[in-house]
């Protein structure tokens, strides 16, 4: 096989791209940071104390309410929907500690945002925007309804 400068450059570029792609995937799956809690002075919606409020944008939003072991409940919420979760602070013996979000119809899609479950009596209010390809989720902890 004859090696030309062009063939060497193309081969090196393809190999470099493969290494970068694998590295980025490893970093994205290994690093699953939980965003810091943001507390709002706005009260929770009346009648929905201790619940999670999730509002979706133009895509299906998967909400994963998980405990420290990664077990919990996943709920797929359709586009342009507001959903109140009664299981935010646990269900039976399981106590959720984090809420994670993924976008699209596949519940196993990569996590795009994580937020800590607030203390009992407080609620989390999360709003999804952007697109399925570039989802954005913003959450804040709200005080009990007045």
């Amino acid at each position: 096989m004859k090696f030309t400068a062009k063939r060497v450059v193309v081969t090196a570029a393809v190999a470099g791209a493969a290494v970068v792609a694998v590295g980025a995937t490893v970093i994205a799956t290994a690093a699953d940071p939980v965003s810091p809690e943001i507390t709002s002075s706005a009260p929770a919606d009346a009648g929905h104390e201790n619940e999670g409020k999730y509002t979706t944008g133009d895509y299906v939003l998967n909400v994963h309410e998980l405990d420290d072991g990664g077990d919990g409940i996943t709920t797929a919420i359709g586009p342009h929907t507001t959903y109140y979760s009664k299981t935010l602070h646990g269900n039976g013996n399981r106590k959720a500690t984090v809420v994670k979000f993924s976008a699209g119809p596949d519940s196993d899609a990569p996590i795009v945002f994580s937020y800590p479950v607030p203390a009992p009596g407080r609620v989390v209010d999360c709003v999804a925007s952007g697109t399925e390809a570039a989802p954005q989720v913003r959450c804040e902890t709200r005080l009990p309804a007045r």
Side-chain angles (χ1 to χ4, degrees):
M1 182 175 183
K2 184 177 173 184
F3 290 101
T4 64
K6 182 179 178 181
R7 183 173 291 178
V8 169
V9 169
V10 169
T11 303
V14 169
V19 168
V20 169
V22 170
T25 300
V26 170
I27 290 170
T29 55
D32 188 12
V34 176
S35 296
E37 185 175 15
I38 298 170
T39 304
S40 169
S41 59
D45 293 347
H48 295 284
E49 295 81 4
N50 283 318
E51 296 179 5
K53 178 182 177 185
Y54 309 112
T55 304
T56 62
D58 292 335
Y59 50 88
V60 172
L61 182 69
N62 294 290
V63 179
H64 313 272
E65 295 173 339
L66 307 174
D67 63 16
D68 288 333
D71 295 322
I73 295 173
T74 296
T75 304
I77 306 168
H80 306 287
T81 302
T82 295
Y83 173 78
Y84 292 92
S85 170
K86 296 183 185 298
T87 60
L88 176 65
H89 289 291
N91 188 7
N93 294 330
R94 184 192 58 80
K95 182 179 183 315
T97 57
V98 66
V99 181
K100 297 184 178 192
F101 301 90
S102 60
D106 181 9
S107 65
D108 292 335
I111 300 299
V112 297
F113 185 74
S114 299
Y115 191 79
V117 170
R122 296 182 174 215
V123 302
V124 64
D125 186 348
C126 301
V127 177
S129 61
T131 64
E132 183 177 327
Q136 297 174 351
V137 179
R138 184 178 186 287
C139 293
E140 60 186 26
T141 297
R142 295 199 176 208
L143 304 173
R146 295 179 188 153

